[in-house]
Amino acid sequence: EIVMTQSPATLSVSPGERATLSCRASQSLSSKFAWYQQKPGQAPRLLIYAETTRATGIPARFSGSGSGTEFTLTISSLQSEDFAIYYCQQYRSWPYTFGQGTKLEIK
Amino acid sequence: QVQLVQSGSEVKNPGASMKVSCKASGYTFTDYYLHWVRQAPGEGLEWMGWINPDSGGTNYAQKFQGRITMTRDTSISTAYMELSSLRSDDTAMYYCARDLWAAGFFDYWGQGTLLSVSS
């Protein structure tokens, strides 16, 4: 099973600033990697797939990057609606696995 | 627009079974795999398996093998997930999610079905 490790667990950032979230995989994923956003009481929402591709309707301030086993989600200028929990996911092999989440909170 | 609408919350005793439905609309049901993902209270996301609505083929996470069954009824564009021998640690929100291109990531999610297992 591929283990996904996110850091930090909690990130405090002021609105308008940049946020950088990290995820590490225990094996190479060959770009089979996604990011999701989850707000309280809601289902997750797909942000990024194939490591760098924004999903339909996702603002350009969200960007994904990475290589092999290290991945980064960058939110260039935080808006109030971006404060949420973010999860990474690998779909390189079964069982698909998620990171434990990074809570992005208002500083 | 694409929608996945799940059945309502359930309360079950340990050892019982539960069956959650996921009704799809706004797209061709048989064109996209459906996955089930669960989330225990305050915890992260856990993948449970998928069903191919076209063929009925399934793939389950090893953790759930033997007590999970995914089925579908194409006539009503609905997928089902049944979990048996319930334990208290099965208490969670259960989501169905559509798999874009059968790639393994999920572009649309149901609203979730809360299962509480308690004696």
Side-chain angles (χ1 to χ4, degrees), chain A residues 36 38 49 87 89 91 94 96, chain B residues 39 47 59 103-106:
Chain A
Y36 299 85
Q38 188 178 34
Y49 63 91
Y87 293 96
Q89 181 223 343
Y91 49 97
W94 301 323
Y96 299 149
Chain B
Q39 185 172 35
W47 177 77
N59 179 42
F105 59 90
F106 317 124

Side-chain angles (χ1 to χ4, degrees), chain A residues 34 36 38 42-46 49-50 87 89 91 94-96 98-100, chain B residues 35 37 39 43-47 50 59 95 101 103-107 109-110:
Chain A
Y36 299 85
Q38 188 178 34
Q42 297 184 15
R45 177 174 73 143
L46 177 67
Y49 63 91
Y87 293 96
Q89 181 223 343
Y91 49 97
W94 301 323
Y96 299 149
F98 295 85
Q100 80 279 19
Chain B
H35 296 244
V37 176
Q39 185 172 35
E43 301 295 323
L45 301 164
E46 181 176 32
W47 177 77
W50 55 252
N59 179 42
Y95 295 102
W101 307 322
F105 59 90
F106 317 124
D107 64 339
W109 295 64

